[in-house]
Amino acid sequence: MSDVQTWIKETVSNTPVVLFMKGTAQFPQCGFSGRAIQILKACGVENIATVNVLEDPEVRQGIKDYSNWPTIPQLYVKGEFIGGSDIMNEMFESGELKALLDA
């Protein structure tokens, strides 16, 4: 396992809610990342841990390899890959995401 893969595994394992995104929670740099932040805030997540993949090309590719998911943003809750903004939106609308985050 590469250093980047090890770092990603430690990050998602040790952080209850982490979003790999383009930009930051305060300044998302793509619409999908912005929507993901809005969804998390609407679910009551106050301290959103984010990783700006635009700062490091190795992390940007590494997270795609780690999850075997081609797009960003990517949400992890309690070490489990949840999905991107479309899946987050579906889970938000059904109430499933809030239940998962509250558990």
Side-chain angles (χ1 to χ4, degrees):
M1 191 177 281
S2 73
D3 290 345
V4 169
Q5 293 295 312
T6 300
W7 180 84
I8 290 169
K9 182 174 175 55
E10 288 174 1
T11 300
V12 301
S13 298
N14 298 329
T15 311
V17 178
V18 62
L19 181 69
F20 288 79
M21 63 181 289
K22 294 178 181 174
T24 64
Q26 296 74 27
F27 189 70
Q29 291 188 277
C30 87
F32 296 108
S33 291
R35 179 68 184 136
I37 290 294
Q38 288 176 336
I39 290 168
L40 290 173
K41 287 181 177 177
C43 287
V45 179
E46 293 178 9
N47 295 320
I48 302 168
T50 62
V51 176
N52 182 357
V53 300
L54 298 177
E55 292 179 346
D56 188 337
E58 285 187 53
V59 171
R60 185 176 186 170
Q61 185 57 48
I63 194 62
K64 293 175 185 180
D65 296 340
Y66 181 83
S67 63
N68 198 26
W69 190 261
T71 59
I72 293 166
Q74 293 186 14
L75 176 67
Y76 290 80
V77 177
K78 299 175 186 131
E80 180 184 350
F81 174 57
I82 303 303
S85 62
D86 290 350
I87 291 169
M88 288 175 66
N89 198 52
E90 289 173 18
M91 291 177 70
F92 173 68
E93 289 179 358
S94 72
E96 189 180 354
L97 185 59
K98 179 144 178 53
L100 177 69
L101 292 165
D102 290 346

